[in-house]
Amino acid sequence: VQLQASGGGLVQAGDSLRLSCAASGRTFSRYAIGWFRQAPGKEREFVAAISWNGGTTYYADSVKGRFTISRDNAKNTVSLQMNSLKPEDTAVYYCAAGAYSTRVREYGYWGQGTLVTVSS
């Protein structure tokens, strides 16, 4: 499965942004999808994950209550709605397909990343 993330941009603190992850391939619905982010000089970290059928979601504590992950298997897309953005949310955001997990190594397919910059 091939993934392409989009929707990043420059916003102010408190604003909202919606990221999308478009997938190609008929096997998309077999995989859990995770969103990860990587800030300059830092390791890639887990943000949110959604199970193969959308029935289960999990969030990092840092985004819980502000971010919402969803998927549409009919359209092969996953979205990450980000509200109340903070400067510390600034990072390159990646979507990935794999097992339902918070661990980077459990995801075998990665998109190219989209940059989110939140100014104070």
Side-chain angles (χ1 to χ4, degrees):
V1 59
Q2 294 182 321
L3 305 171
Q4 184 170 357
S6 63
L10 173 62
V11 297
Q12 293 186 334
D15 286 350
S16 298
L17 207 57
R18 188 176 183 89
L19 304 184
S20 294
C21 179
S24 61
R26 292 178 293 176
T27 60
F28 170 77
S29 61
R30 298 181 184 178
Y31 296 100
I33 300 296
W35 282 97
F36 293 79
R37 66 187 182 186
Q38 188 165 17
K42 295 187 177 181
E43 293 187 353
R44 193 167 297 189
E45 66 173 4
F46 170 78
V47 174
I50 189 166
S51 60
W52 68 274
N53 64 352
T56 307
T57 58
Y58 190 77
Y59 299 91
D61 287 343
S62 59
V63 307
K64 198 173 298 181
R66 299 188 297 122
F67 290 11
T68 302
I69 189 172
S70 60
R71 70 187 295 164
D72 185 339
N73 284 344
K75 296 181 178 179
N76 278 15
T77 58
V78 173
S79 297
L80 184 69
Q81 178 66 41
M82 306 186 296
N83 298 330
S84 302
L85 283 162
K86 304 176 181 180
E88 51 263 44
D89 294 319
T90 295
V92 176
Y93 284 71
Y94 299 88
C95 58
Y100 183 70
S101 173
T102 63
R103 299 176 178 177
V104 170
R105 65 173 182 257
E106 298 292 344
Y107 293 85
Y109 303 94
W110 290 82
Q112 85 288 2
T114 185
L115 176 62
V116 173
T117 304
V118 184
S119 64
S120 58

